[in-house]
Amino acid sequence: MQTYQMLINGEWVDAVSGATFDDLNPYSGEVYARVQKADAQDADRAMAAAYAARKTWSATPPLERSLVIAKAGHILEDARQEFAEVLISEGGSTFGKAMFEISQTVDLLATAAADGKRILGETFHTDPSKLSMTLRRPRGTVVAISPWNFPLILSMYKVAYSLTTGNTVVFKPASETPVIGLKIGELFERAGLLPGALNVITGPGKVLGDALIDDPRCSFVTITGETVTGRHVAQRAAANLKEYTLELGGKNPLVILADSDIDYAVNAAAFGVFLHQGQICMSVGRIIVEEPIVEEFAQKLAEKAASLPKGDPSRPQTVIGPLINDKQVKKVDSHVKDAVAKGARLLTGGQYQDRVYDPTVLAGVTPEMLVYSEETFGPVASIVSVQNAQEALVVANDTTYGLSAGVITKDLEKAIYLAEGIEAGMVHVNDASIDAEASVPFGGCKESGQGREGGRYSLEELTEVKWVTIQKSQKAFPF
Ligand code: NAD
C-alpha cells in the first residue's frame, strides 16, 4: 500500500499536521492507499502558491500554455493502464467505464489545449469617436472541487480549462478518490507545468472548502457534487462576493413513447440506468413510458438487467461493479424498500453482496416513492406509466432537478415538443440522458446547478470580461 503526498508549489509534501486518512477499495473493502489529511494550514499554503504563480502563468503565451495541456493529454494516452488501475481500485469503476473515462479525458485535454487560443473579445460599433471592445482576462486563482464518480474527467474540466485560460488552481479531489486527483497533479508536473500553477490538496471537503472559499486570494469557485454541497458552496461564495459554477445532482427522465422500437428503448434505458452502477449525475432516474408498451418494456428491461455481468470491476466483461461505499448501499436499498412498501413491483434485483447491488427494475413507480423524486445514485430502474406525451412532459418536469433528459420516439413533432418542454440543461432525442462532449455546454438548470462547462462556455466562465475604449481623438468634455 502506497502513501501519497500532496502537490503544493511544485513540491510533494505531507500535511502540516502530519495527519493522513485511508482511501478504500470499494470492491474489496481493503485500504488501497494512504493520503494526506489537509486542513486550513495546507489550504493556506496551496492558495499562497497558486496566488504567487498567477502573474507568471497568466502572462505565459497561450501557445505555451496550450502545449503543456496538450502534452498532459499525450502522457495520459500513454498511461491509460496506470490511470485505469486507480479508477478501478479506488473508484469502483468497471474496466470499460475507466477506459471510456480516460478516452473522454484525452479528448477534453486536446480540446482545452486548442481552446486556449480561442479566447475571444468583442468590438462595439456604437460610437464612431472611439474604439470600444471587450478583453477577456483570467479570473486569477480558481478553487476547483470535484466528486468521486467520474473523478478524472470531471476534475479535468475544471483544471484544464482553468489553466488554458491563464488561471492558477487549487484543486481538491473527493475524499473517496484522492489518488486520481494526485495523479492529475503528477500528469501536469510531467507535462512541464509552471510550479504553483496547479496545487492538489486532499482532505475533508467542508474544512478545506470553507478555508479556500473564504480566502481573499481565491477569485472563483467551481464545484461538481451534490446539490446540498453546491448550495453551501454557493452561499459561502456569495457571502464573499465571489462568482462560481455549480454542477450538481439530477433525477433525469427518459421518456419512451409508444411508437418506439422497444428493444432499442430497452438498450438505451439499460445503458442510462446501469452505467457505473447508476452513480452518474446524468443517470436515468425515472423511465416514463406510454401505457400501451409499458408492460413489454418493463419485462424486457428486467430480463436484460438480470443478465448483466456483475462483481469484480477489473474484469473486462463486468458491467455492474461496486457502489462507492456502504452508506451508498444503504441509501439505494432504502429507496428500493420504500418503493416496494408503497406498491412498486420489484421485477428483478433488490439484493446485494457487500457493495455490489444487483441491477434492479421497479415498475409502477408513483410520486410518493423516494425513487420518484430523490437522486438514488444506484443501479435502479424506476418505471412510471403515463397516458400520453403531454402527461410524460408533466411527469418529466415534476422534479426539483433539471440536468439532463432522454426522449425516445419516431414522431418528430412529439420529439420537438418534449425536447423544448423538458426543463433541463441537456435533452437527447433517441438516446439516454447520459452524454457529454468536451466542447458542448454541459450543465443543468433548477437545482442541478448554475453555469456550464465545456468549450467556449468554460472559457467564458473562467475569464472576467473587461470593457476597454480608446478615443480616436480628443473629445469635447461638457465642462
Ligand atoms: P459531494 O457533494 O459529497 O462531494 C463533492 C465534492 O465536494 C467533494 O470533493 C467533497 O469533498 C466536497 N465537499 C463536500 N462538502 C463540502 C463543503 N461543505 N464545501 C466544499 N466542498 C465540499 O458529492 P459526491 O458524493 O462526491 O458526488 C456525487 C454527487 O455529485 C451526486 O449528487 C451527483 O449527481 C453529483 N454530480 C454532478 C455532476 C454534474 O456535472 N452535474 C457530475 C457528477 C456528479
Side-chain angles (χ1 to χ4, degrees):
M1 188 205 40
Q2 200 174 332
T3 299
Y4 286 82
Q5 294 178 300
M6 304 184 289
L7 181 63
I8 299 181
N9 206 21
E11 288 177 6
W12 292 95
V13 297
D14 291 341
V16 173
S17 69
T20 58
F21 68 98
D22 290 343
D23 177 21
L24 300 180
N25 176 322
Y27 181 64
S28 68
E30 288 164 6
V31 177
Y32 167 67
R34 190 151 290 151
V35 293
Q36 305 302 312
K37 188 175 179 183
D39 62 20
Q41 303 172 82
D42 305 287
D44 179 65
R45 282 196 300 169
M47 188 56 79
Y51 192 74
R54 83 195 191 294
K55 280 214 167 112
T56 308
W57 184 245
S58 66
T60 301
L63 175 61
E64 269 182 51
R65 295 200 299 248
S66 293
L67 287 174
V68 171
I69 294 159
K71 192 165 176 192
H74 286 292
I75 298 170
L76 176 61
E77 175 67 36
D78 290 342
R80 295 177 74 91
Q81 292 301 334
E82 186 187 326
F83 275 77
E85 191 273 323
V86 181
L87 288 168
I88 293 166
S89 302
E90 70 172 0
S93 287
T94 58
F95 178 80
K97 181 264 189 187
M99 284 299 168
F100 171 70
E101 184 172 358
I102 293 165
S103 298
Q104 294 274 95
T105 310
V106 169
D107 184 6
L108 176 72
L109 283 162
T111 310
D115 279 346
K117 299 205 68 191
R118 295 195 189 108
I119 301 169
L120 304 178
E122 289 177 293
T123 51
F124 296 84
H125 300 274
T126 47
D127 179 346
S129 75
K130 62 189 168 203
L131 294 179
S132 176
M133 69 196 92
T134 56
L135 305 181
R136 290 231 160 237
R137 305 295 306 146
R139 295 275 187 183
T141 299
V142 171
V143 167
I145 303 174
S146 63
W148 50 263
N149 61 339
F150 266 74
L152 178 61
I153 190 154
L154 295 174
S155 307
M156 203 62 93
Y157 266 105
K158 302 177 187 310
V159 170
Y161 272 97
S162 293
L163 292 174
T164 209
T165 43
N167 297 286
T168 56
V169 187
V170 178
F171 163 42
K172 196 213 84 65
S175 296
E176 293 83 354
T177 50
V179 173
I180 205 73
L182 297 164
K183 285 272 175 202
I184 289 174
E186 193 187 292
L187 189 67
F188 280 100
E189 184 186 46
R190 285 164 67 188
L193 180 65
L194 174 77
L198 171 62
N199 305 275
V200 188
I201 56 174
T202 50
K206 176 139 178 46
V207 174
L208 296 178
D210 287 357
L212 292 168
I213 297 165
D214 288 349
D215 192 309
R217 294 166 292 188
C218 153
S219 18
F220 189 80
V221 186
T222 171
I223 180 165
T224 300
E226 284 188 70
T227 294
V228 63
T229 311
R231 200 185 296 280
H232 173 84
V233 165
Q235 285 166 349
R236 199 89 187 188
N240 285 285
L241 295 181
K242 283 170 192 171
E243 286 193 59
Y244 51 81
T245 57
L246 309 171
E247 299 288 352
L248 309 176
K251 189 74 191 175
N252 309 292
L254 173 63
V255 175
I256 299 173
L257 298 185
D259 65 75
S260 302
D261 174 332
I262 294 186
D263 291 335
Y264 179 78
V266 165
N267 289 340
F271 178 78
V273 173
F274 299 124
L275 180 65
H276 198 37
Q277 298 79 260
Q279 303 171 111
I280 308 178
C281 55
M282 298 172 281
S283 291
V284 169
R286 283 180 296 157
I287 310 173
I288 301 164
V289 189
E290 268 190 307
E291 200 270 333
I293 60 164
V294 71
E295 265 317 307
E296 186 183 347
F297 170 82
Q299 291 305 331
K300 285 188 162 171
L301 182 62
E303 275 165 35
K304 177 150 186 140
S307 74
L308 296 175
K310 58 192 184 205
D312 184 347
S314 64
R315 286 184 317 160
Q317 66 271 32
T318 298
V319 173
I320 303 289
L323 295 177
I324 190 71
N325 53 35
D326 291 326
K327 189 171 153 221
Q328 199 50 34
V329 175
K330 280 205 187 78
K331 180 181 174 191
V332 171
D333 199 47
S334 71
H335 277 204
V336 173
K337 289 205 162 74
D338 168 83
V340 172
K342 290 173 180 166
R345 283 181 296 131
L346 179 66
L347 301 186
T348 187
Q351 307 283 322
Y352 59 94
Q353 170 90 42
D354 297 327
R355 281 157 297 281
V356 177
Y357 204 94
D358 289 355
T360 298
V361 177
L362 294 166
V365 167
T366 52
E368 53 282 356
M369 299 171 189
L370 294 171
V371 290
Y372 181 94
S373 52
E374 289 193 13
E375 192 178 40
T376 305
F377 237 51
V380 180
S382 302
I383 301 172
V384 184
S385 174
V386 291
Q387 294 305 317
N388 51 42
Q390 286 73 20
E391 193 190 349
L393 181 60
V394 172
V395 173
N397 287 339
D398 186 18
T399 167
T400 55
Y401 293 108
L403 187 59
S404 188
V407 174
I408 298 191
T409 176
K410 293 180 186 137
D411 184 323
L412 189 59
E413 264 182 47
K414 287 181 182 165
I416 294 169
Y417 165 77
L418 288 164
E420 287 189 342
I422 292 176
E423 296 160 359
M426 308 176 277
V427 181
H428 304 293
V429 175
N430 288 329
D431 201 352
S433 52
I434 298 178
D435 204 357
E437 281 174 41
S439 50
V440 303
F442 187 90
C445 57
K446 294 162 81 174
E447 292 188 5
S448 288
Q450 285 178 25
R452 295 291 183 272
E453 287 188 325
R456 71 181 170 85
Y457 302 91
S458 283
L459 300 181
E460 284 174 17
E461 301 280 11
L462 291 162
T463 54
E464 195 82 60
V465 69
K466 182 188 275 183
W467 181 41
V468 173
T469 67
I470 305 169
Q471 282 298 134
K472 291 180 183 168
S473 58
Q474 288 194 348
K475 87 192 227 189
F477 293 101
F479 56 87

